[in-house]
Amino acid sequence: GNAAQKSKGSETRGEGEVVNLMAKQLGAAGAQRVADELAANPNAAKLILGHNGIGADGCRAIASVLANHSTLRELYLAENEIGDDGCRAIANALKANTS
């Protein structure tokens, strides 16, 4: 399946949408699709991507959206082998985000 189908685990709470894609075997390519969807979703407040093996490449894809996303407040990336490069990409994106 694709990320759009897998993101049907989304739910809306009082503080914004929760996108739960925990353990969906997304990999880096799936993380890119999630990033594309996240860029088009201004209501996402929490993104759960743990246990998906997205690696540093997938993390960079997510980071590319974080720099300009104004509503995302929580990001869960445990068990994704993102390494130093992935961490650096996320940190730089968050630093660039002024919202």
Side-chain angles (χ1 to χ4, degrees):
N2 65 31
Q5 292 170 329
K6 292 178 180 176
S7 67
K8 289 182 180 173
S10 300
E11 59 186 80
T12 302
R13 295 194 178 164
E15 298 169 359
E17 187 175 329
V18 176
V19 181
N20 185 352
L21 297 173
M22 177 84 126
K24 301 288 185 185
Q25 301 174 348
L26 297 175
Q32 179 61 61
R33 289 190 299 274
V34 170
D36 294 343
E37 290 181 27
L38 184 60
N41 183 351
N43 299 315
K46 182 175 186 177
L47 178 59
I48 303 169
L49 288 176
H51 302 271
N52 275 298
I54 68 171
D57 288 341
C59 205
R60 281 189 284 274
I62 298 297
S64 70
V65 176
L66 293 181
N68 298 308
H69 202 281
S70 62
T71 60
L72 193 69
R73 297 289 177 239
E74 293 182 54
L75 177 62
Y76 183 78
L77 291 170
E79 303 298 325
N80 273 301
E81 299 92 31
I82 63 174
D84 291 344
D85 288 342
C87 287
R88 207 171 355 267
I90 295 291
N92 289 337
L94 293 176
K95 195 182 311 182
N97 187 317
T98 58
S99 61

